[in-house]
Amino acid sequence: MWEKCQPERSCLERFAIKPSFSDHLAAEVRARRAVLRLTQHDLAQLAGVSERFVRFVEQGKPSVQLDSLLALLDTLGLELQLVTRTHAAARGGAAEGPGADRP
């Protein structure tokens, strides 16, 4: 049923799966850490969190402690923002229900 994804096309493209918020967050944190040339260990020490926590965020773990996440983002010069969705997007999200982006 599930074909192996070809290298030239990602699984997300092939099966049109929308990345989850935690996946997007993970990619942004990894990219910013790389730009700053920090190791996970360095980032953990600067943010006052464990290296394990940094790994969890960068792996896209869907459940993390908010205060620790905010400290990590602050250390990277990033911030978490909430914005009102467009009317169509809000309706679509409500119809799908909570956790709809989870496998």
Side-chain angles (χ1 to χ4, degrees):
M1 179 176 159
W2 290 96
E3 298 176 32
K4 187 174 181 180
C5 293
Q6 300 301 315
E8 64 274 3
R9 291 181 67 189
S10 74
C11 289
L12 294 177
E13 291 172 337
R14 181 161 175 79
F15 298 109
I17 298 170
K18 181 181 173 187
S20 69
F21 171 76
S22 57
D23 291 336
H24 178 70
L25 177 68
E28 291 295 322
V29 167
R30 281 192 309 269
R32 182 66 177 158
R33 182 174 61 79
V35 166
L36 296 174
R37 296 181 178 180
L38 294 172
T39 64
Q40 289 180 335
H41 178 77
D42 294 337
L43 177 55
Q45 285 194 321
L46 290 168
V49 299
S50 69
E51 191 173 340
R52 182 176 183 219
F53 180 81
V54 174
R55 274 196 314 275
F56 283 164
V57 171
E58 290 191 358
Q59 291 170 353
K61 183 179 178 195
S63 174
V64 294
Q65 194 166 334
L66 183 59
D67 61 340
S68 296
L69 176 61
L70 294 175
L72 188 75
L73 295 176
D74 185 55
T75 301
L76 292 169
L78 300 172
E79 65 183 17
L80 186 61
Q81 292 185 359
L82 298 176
V83 295
T84 303
R85 291 183 278 171
T86 63
H87 182 67
R91 273 189 319 192
E96 294 171 356
D101 61 344
R102 295 186 190 152

